[in-house]
Amino acid sequence: TMASKQILKNTGAWKRLQKKDIACFRKMHVWDENGLGEINFDSASICQPTMGYVISRQFIVDALKEELLELNSVRCLWSVSPVSLKEETDAIVLGMEDGLQFRTRLVVAADGHNSKLRNLANIHYKKYDYMQSALGCTVITKLEHREIARQRFLKNGPLAFLPMADSYQSAVVWSSSPEHIQHLKGLNKPEFHLALADAFAHKLGDIKESTEKVVFPLSRAQANSYIKSRVALIGDSAHMIHPLAGIGANLGLLDAASLAEIVIAPYQRGRDPGRLQVLRRYERRRKGTNRNMIYLIDSLKHLFENKHQSVQWIRNFGLDAVDSFPFVKNVILKRAMGLVGDLPKAARGKF
């Protein structure tokens, strides 16, 4: 999103990403398999040059690592795993598997949905299994994507084509039942290409080539608490969301920027940044916002997978109704792009 771009600009990482093959999308087209309802978003409607970007996760990680390595005050250790957390009066001791120990005033758990740090801190992580899987790959299509992100809601889950830097290349994410996804993974290339093009109503013509298929399970989750004395959770360590809106990584970046803003101020005044009084401000700012987004996406998922005929009619009518009211569409668009809302300072900018 534009908010995430601003955060990465403020870290210095964005200038490194601009040298990579990143893609922007200026429009978005969403439609339902079971009906004629559709909605179209265009960044030009709110005087913006683009809606957002499609960037490889590894590019972002590499760019941030390069920025870290240029900071003389930062010590970086890669591929080490925590095995213990011991709280003291004014610090916490983090023990590593190689025997190394760190005594610090604040530990941030940013180690994913299977977070070891969260488990060591004994913070409960309530997880709901969607009983769905997602298949991801990159494809070459016969027709150009024209910088349009497209998503079709099928009976068992959404299918998205996200534009990449090459005008004929798209990143695909297909969510469906585990059985269907395993069936798709087992198909040879010609069979898979035909099934994919059919499911996408041939919007981009035939599929000419594809990369290796990656499959992962889908679930949503929320930690009971984002904080403990001298411990804070961000990103997937704190929450998980269905990928249909593509906002999981964006929420994580907002977590990071919000936590940084909240702990830096007392630190610069010589105060303790790991106190619960400080960390509670972070939890109040992010936990409710993330929870609301998780349940909004969850509701959309169930709405578009409902097979009842009356529900199908209502959602198609709703898509067309929203599409016919530019003001409503623009409100949704600004929120989705990260242009409005309770944003940390690092995410704000002159868009």
Side-chain angles (χ1 to χ4, degrees):
T1 64
M2 302 302 286
S4 293
K5 174 187 176 180
Q6 196 64 25
I7 292 170
L8 292 170
K9 282 181 70 175
N10 279 303
T11 66
W14 186 257
K15 65 180 182 292
R16 300 179 187 277
L17 288 169
Q18 288 179 301
K19 302 172 186 176
K20 306 283 188 178
D21 286 335
I22 64 174
C24 66
F25 58 98
R26 305 178 192 281
K27 298 179 181 180
M28 181 178 288
H29 178 210
V30 179
W31 77 104
D32 189 358
E33 175 190 31
N34 298 301
L36 300 176
E38 63 178 6
I39 188 167
N40 293 278
F41 295 100
D42 189 338
S43 61
S45 66
I46 56 171
C47 303
Q48 294 297 322
T50 184
M51 283 183 64
Y53 301 86
V54 181
I55 311 175
S56 163
R57 170 191 172 280
Q58 195 57 50
F59 287 170
I60 296 174
V61 171
D62 291 345
L64 288 169
K65 278 186 175 181
E66 288 169 13
E67 283 299 314
L68 279 173
L69 291 171
E70 288 193 0
L71 299 175
N72 295 327
S73 59
V74 174
R75 181 182 178 186
C76 298
L77 298 173
W78 313 119
S79 302
V80 291
S81 184
V83 293
S84 66
L85 274 178
K86 181 183 177 183
E87 187 177 350
E88 297 182 348
T89 304
D90 59 348
I92 195 165
V93 178
L94 178 64
M96 313 305 287
E97 61 184 358
D98 60 359
L100 199 63
Q101 289 191 332
F102 296 94
R103 190 173 185 275
T104 179
R105 287 187 287 178
L106 176 63
V107 171
V108 180
D111 50 342
H113 65 95
N114 290 323
S115 171
K116 289 186 178 181
L117 286 169
R118 184 188 63 233
N119 293 335
L120 290 170
N122 293 316
I123 297 176
H124 182 63
Y125 193 62
K126 189 174 182 180
K127 197 172 180 180
Y128 173 80
D129 189 345
Y130 279 122
M131 303 303 291
Q132 275 190 331
S133 295
L135 181 149
C137 65
T138 301
V139 300
I140 303 294
T141 57
K142 184 178 180 180
L143 303 178
E144 293 182 288
H145 54 61
R146 293 180 290 125
E147 296 183 330
I148 302 173
R150 297 172 171 88
Q151 183 159 253
R152 190 185 194 196
F153 282 95
L154 307 172
K155 62 181 180 180
N156 290 322
L159 169 59
F161 274 60
L162 307 174
M164 299 188 74
D166 185 313
S167 58
Y168 292 94
Q169 190 174 44
S170 297
V172 170
V173 181
W174 192 346
S175 303
S176 189
S177 67
E179 297 78 17
H180 184 219
I181 292 298
Q182 285 303 319
H183 167 72
L184 292 171
K185 187 179 180 182
L187 296 177
N188 60 36
K189 279 192 176 184
E191 293 170 336
F192 175 65
H193 294 170
L194 180 59
L196 182 57
D198 285 344
F200 206 58
H202 293 266
K203 285 288 183 180
L204 294 175
D206 295 337
I207 309 298
K208 299 173 68 177
E209 187 54 84
S210 62
T211 60
E212 181 182 356
K213 301 185 281 285
V214 177
V215 171
F216 50 96
L218 298 180
S219 57
R220 62 169 162 82
Q222 176 89 306
N224 279 10
S225 173
Y226 279 22
I227 61 167
K228 197 173 181 179
S229 180
R230 307 200 175 282
V231 177
L233 313 181
I234 65 173
D236 282 2
S237 299
H239 50 80
M240 277 201 305
I241 192 168
H242 195 284
L244 75 84
I247 60 170
N250 295 289
L251 293 179
L253 285 168
L254 287 169
D255 290 347
S258 297
L259 179 61
E261 181 178 310
I262 287 166
V263 301
I264 285 172
Y267 177 78
Q268 289 177 333
R269 293 195 296 268
R271 297 178 183 176
D272 188 347
R275 292 181 307 147
L276 272 176
Q277 295 93 320
V278 174
L279 298 181
R280 282 196 182 105
R281 291 175 54 208
Y282 160 69
E283 183 176 57
R284 285 195 299 268
R285 186 172 195 177
R286 295 301 304 160
K287 188 178 179 182
T289 299
N290 289 336
R291 182 191 60 235
N292 293 342
M293 185 59 70
I294 288 168
Y295 285 118
L296 171 62
I297 299 303
D298 186 69
S299 299
L300 288 173
K301 173 194 175 298
H302 289 296
L303 172 65
F304 279 93
E305 290 174 11
N306 192 307
K307 297 176 176 62
H308 197 282
Q309 191 170 2
S310 61
V311 176
Q312 292 176 10
W313 182 87
I314 290 170
R315 71 179 180 234
N316 277 275
F317 174 80
L319 285 171
D320 285 337
V322 172
D323 198 46
S324 64
F325 287 98
F327 173 77
V328 176
K329 273 206 303 184
N330 290 345
V331 169
I332 295 171
L333 187 56
K334 287 179 181 179
R335 176 70 65 170
M337 289 171 60
L339 300 180
V340 296
D342 181 19
L343 300 172
K345 291 178 182 177
R348 302 173 200 161
K350 296 179 180 180
F351 300 108

